[in-house]
Amino acid sequence: MLDSLQPLVFGMLALIIFISAAFITFSRNLIYSAFALLGSFTGVAGLFAMLGADFLAVVQLLVYIGGIMVLYLFAVLMTSGIGDVRLTNRSIAVKIALPLALVLFFSLGKLIFETEWFAQQTVKIAPTTAAIGDLLLTKYLLPFELVSVLLLSTLIGSVALARQELRNSKENHD
Amino acid sequence: MENFAIHIHESYLYGLPLSVVNLIVMFGAAFVVLLGFVAPFAGLLSFIERRIAARIQCRIGPNRVGPQGLLQFLADGVKSLFKEDLIPKVADKPLFIIAPYLVFLGMFTSFVVLPFSSQWIVADLNVGILYLFATAAITVVGLVMAGWGSGSKWSMLGGMRSAAQIISYEIPTGLAALTAILLAGSLSLQEIIAAQGPHPWQWYFFDNPFTFIAFFILFVALVAEGNRAPFDLPEAETELVSGYNTEYSGMRFLFFFFAEWAHLYVLGAILTTLFLGGWQVPESLLASVGAESIAARILELVFFQLKIYVLVFLVVQLRWTVPRVRMDQMMDMCWKYLVPIGFFCVAGVAIWMMLFPDGVSFVKYLLIAFSSAMVLYYFYKVYRNFKDSRAELELNPFV
């Protein structure tokens, strides 16, 4: 319904993503960088929504902002004196980084300009949730199960690590 | 929405392209929803909460501004607008300023998907219920930002606590909501409501024992997510002065409370939608006013509001009658009880759906009888407490 406005919306989202990404990279304050992730993640969720991937858009918000970003914030805020560190991203080997960045830039640029893009004329907006669920439990069952096993082992591992620390600190107190 | 936009385009703004008109209508709807709808609701809820709190504490409460003090929230709003906007010297100024708006944004964007009647909904998303939980995530970021930006230890601790709390309680919330989603087979709020019926035995609340338990899990988890007492540890006065909003004043302070009361409303709406049949009105009643008429829509709206306000009343009463829990108790309850019970409910509902695809009416009636007994006991207890307190004030609500 908003076909003619799509370039405008895309431009706005791209601008949001770009500005917040630049802010994340160039900000001298780690806290600001962490908070700027919000703009970047929301922008990507907006892009997903624009492409008709409604489920992915919401999950992007839920997982990246609700989970990952808040975890970052936790780590950043728990570190004492984090606001005093003003040295981030200042002197990380420019001699190596610059050529690498240039190579990446030109190869990506070459890729973008040489690829034949097929412009999809009409994006069919349809609910995707049911289809994703079906595929996860039929075609991609094995990867799905593998990921869940991985997550479970991570969970158990972190619990084991946390318990060990608890036991050690108790022994020290005694 | 789209039809409305086309209608406006054809009758008033035919000079403009349709997409621009669409955009105008969208922004207009957002404007109306936010300013004309949410703000009065939050204000009204603040009034209700303060009056109930006053009754419970044997006070009178605000009753001077407007009939029975109904316009108190407007007076408070005006007062807050005129207050000096204090920003602490050590505060991180940009973060301090942005934080209340983020909290506000996270809470108020959820109103977009609330189904007020079978046709009155701003956007009926296919992933409506997930969207509701996702917007809560933005609130967390706002709270942490407020905690950090204030440059005060109390605020910081409050912000951290609220983040830990909301993140933890998102899991039981999701699990409990999953039971209703399983039954309805959809994430869209309208479809979940449509899958239920107007009568109690058609609600998911009474569908089977597992959804019955899930309702209470969702209730507790949502109260905790809204930082409401007895789970208001982020702003525990006795420990943290006022938590993340300690350093705020004036309108910014009010924004946090706007969000809190809006969350109270959203809480009622989520529970009503998932378990209590939403806007469903008995067909005979609907037919008497004409199923397609605007009166029918208003009737649906009234039903939806009534259910929400019953739940809101319960939450408010809970806040003023139950003492605050400790932080470790709070986390224990989430991870050791609510999460396992939530998983049990999800598995239980799935098995129940396989065994009894049509439901078991005997179990439904048993559950209804049980909850009726609970409600009766509740009224009896409240009556006894009124009587024992022997307060003349309590028995006359309109002093």
Side-chain angles (χ1 to χ4, degrees):
Chain A
M1 115 187 173
L2 287 170
D3 279 344
S4 55
L5 282 177
Q6 262 191 358
L8 185 73
V9 176
F10 175 76
M12 271 159 62
L13 287 174
L15 204 68
I16 290 173
I17 297 174
F18 181 75
I19 289 178
S20 40
F23 200 83
I24 296 165
T25 331
F26 294 118
S27 165
R28 293 261 192 95
N29 191 336
L30 259 184
I31 311 257
Y32 285 7
S33 295
F35 278 120
L37 277 173
L38 179 69
S40 161
F41 287 152
T42 331
V44 174
L47 281 187
F48 278 135
M50 237 185 91
L51 291 172
D54 50 356
F55 184 74
L56 268 187
V58 176
V59 167
Q60 162 89 11
L61 277 186
L62 203 63
V63 172
Y64 278 87
I65 294 178
I68 292 179
M69 192 185 151
V70 173
L71 273 184
Y72 280 167
L73 285 177
F74 251 69
V76 169
L77 296 187
M78 287 280 194
T79 317
S80 61
I82 194 95
D84 308 333
V85 183
R86 307 272 174 202
L87 293 168
T88 47
N89 301 322
R90 255 175 110 188
S91 53
I92 308 169
V94 178
K95 278 176 199 161
I96 308 168
L98 198 66
L100 274 178
L102 281 176
V103 167
L104 189 70
F105 179 78
F106 281 113
S107 49
L108 273 180
K110 199 167 148 55
L111 202 68
I112 288 169
F113 284 111
E114 288 192 356
T115 316
E116 255 184 83
W117 295 100
F118 297 101
Q120 202 174 1
Q121 288 308 315
T122 48
V123 180
K124 217 175 103 196
I125 308 277
T128 54
T129 320
I132 290 176
D134 275 344
L135 280 179
L136 272 185
L137 289 181
T138 51
K139 198 176 170 191
Y140 299 106
L141 185 62
L142 187 68
F144 179 69
E145 289 298 328
L146 281 179
V147 168
S148 34
V149 169
L150 178 74
L151 284 178
L152 187 68
S153 56
T154 321
L155 211 71
I156 295 172
S158 56
V159 169
L161 281 176
R163 280 183 71 92
Q164 211 169 14
E165 274 170 28
L166 201 70
R167 211 173 297 138
N168 286 347
S169 64
K170 259 187 192 160
E171 277 165 13
N172 290 344
H173 281 299
D174 295 337
Chain B
M1 275 278 297
E2 273 175 61
N3 296 338
F4 184 61
I6 292 167
H7 172 70
I8 294 230
H9 181 244
E10 280 169 357
S11 24
Y12 306 108
L13 297 168
Y14 42 84
L16 289 167
L18 183 61
S19 51
V20 176
V21 176
N22 254 323
L23 200 70
I24 293 173
V25 168
M26 273 182 169
F27 274 105
F31 188 75
V32 168
V33 164
L34 284 185
L35 288 176
F37 201 71
V38 179
F41 262 128
L44 200 65
L45 284 188
S46 79
F47 165 75
I48 291 173
E49 162 140 39
R50 290 172 67 180
R51 282 302 287 261
I52 296 173
R55 292 296 135 155
I56 290 172
Q57 299 174 335
C58 290
R59 296 183 284 118
I60 296 173
N63 69 345
R64 294 297 175 91
V65 191
Q68 288 299 318
L70 201 61
L71 300 178
Q72 181 69 38
F73 70 93
L74 288 181
D76 284 344
V78 172
K79 183 193 83 172
S80 295
L81 269 180
F82 284 121
K83 267 191 167 180
E84 188 189 349
D85 183 24
L86 285 172
I87 297 179
K89 221 176 190 175
V90 288
D92 198 325
K93 211 173 163 191
L95 294 186
F96 186 82
I97 291 172
I98 300 170
Y101 302 113
L102 268 185
V103 175
F104 190 76
L105 182 83
M107 222 43 113
F108 280 52
T109 41
S110 54
F111 275 77
V112 172
V113 293
L114 293 188
F116 292 105
S117 91
S118 55
Q119 281 163 24
W120 293 351
I121 179 167
V122 179
D124 180 20
L125 299 182
N126 305 311
V127 284
I129 187 70
L130 272 183
Y131 173 87
L132 273 179
F133 297 145
T135 52
I138 299 176
T139 314
V140 185
V141 176
L143 292 179
V144 174
M145 198 184 265
W148 170 263
S150 300
S152 137
K153 288 188 182 67
W154 308 126
S155 307
M156 172 87 179
L157 278 172
M160 299 295 273
R161 275 187 182 187
S162 83
Q165 186 171 322
I166 295 180
I167 290 237
S168 309
Y169 275 85
E170 250 172 34
I171 297 164
T173 313
L175 287 174
L178 208 55
T179 57
I181 294 167
L182 269 177
L183 280 170
S186 170
L187 291 170
S188 148
L189 293 176
Q190 288 289 42
E191 279 175 37
I192 291 174
I193 292 179
Q196 304 175 60
H199 304 291
W201 55 90
Q202 293 166 323
W203 295 349
Y204 285 158
F205 184 31
F206 300 113
D207 192 79
N208 59 54
F210 304 105
T211 48
F212 190 74
I213 303 170
F215 174 84
F216 291 101
I217 294 179
L218 190 61
F219 184 79
V220 171
L222 282 176
V223 172
E225 262 195 44
N227 297 330
R228 300 275 310 178
F231 309 112
D232 63 341
L233 287 150
E235 38 190 303
E237 295 91 351
T238 42
E239 303 158 35
L240 298 179
V241 190
S242 180
Y244 54 81
N245 56 32
T246 307
E247 306 292 341
Y248 283 89
S249 62
M251 207 55 202
R252 285 186 223 288
F253 177 73
L254 211 61
F255 266 41
F256 284 113
F257 278 86
F258 251 155
E260 187 178 326
W261 282 309
H263 179 270
L264 201 55
Y265 186 83
V266 173
L267 174 155
I270 294 178
L271 284 168
T272 308
T273 305
L274 290 184
F275 291 104
L276 301 181
W279 40 253
Q280 293 271 15
V281 178
E283 265 169 34
S284 52
L285 205 61
L286 210 57
S288 65
V289 293
E292 294 301 319
S293 66
I294 198 120
R297 300 289 90 75
I298 292 174
L299 205 64
E300 287 172 346
L301 181 70
V302 169
F303 265 64
F304 190 60
Q305 300 301 326
L306 274 180
K307 289 173 191 170
I308 289 178
Y309 278 108
V310 167
L311 289 168
V312 165
F313 179 83
L314 267 182
V315 177
V316 170
Q317 202 193 17
L318 202 68
R319 172 172 183 174
W320 296 99
T321 45
V322 181
R324 185 179 292 133
V325 298
R326 240 171 31 221
M327 193 66 194
D328 60 321
Q329 290 171 337
M330 165 112 197
M331 285 296 151
D332 275 3
M333 194 174 78
C334 176
W335 292 105
K336 291 188 184 163
Y337 298 98
L338 293 187
V339 171
I341 298 174
F343 275 120
F344 170 72
C345 286
V346 172
V349 167
I351 293 169
W352 190 273
M353 279 171 70
M354 262 171 64
L355 293 181
F356 313 105
D358 303 323
V360 188
S361 10
F362 173 69
V363 174
K364 286 182 189 175
Y365 291 125
L366 210 65
L367 285 172
I368 291 175
F370 177 66
S371 18
S372 311
M374 252 166 48
V375 170
L376 280 180
Y377 181 68
Y378 163 81
F379 278 120
Y380 169 73
K381 281 298 272 190
V382 171
Y383 169 72
R384 278 301 298 270
N385 286 346
F386 271 144
K387 221 176 152 196
D388 290 349
S389 71
R390 288 202 192 120
E392 294 294 320
L393 193 70
E394 296 292 339
L395 296 175
N396 176 9
F398 297 112
V399 173

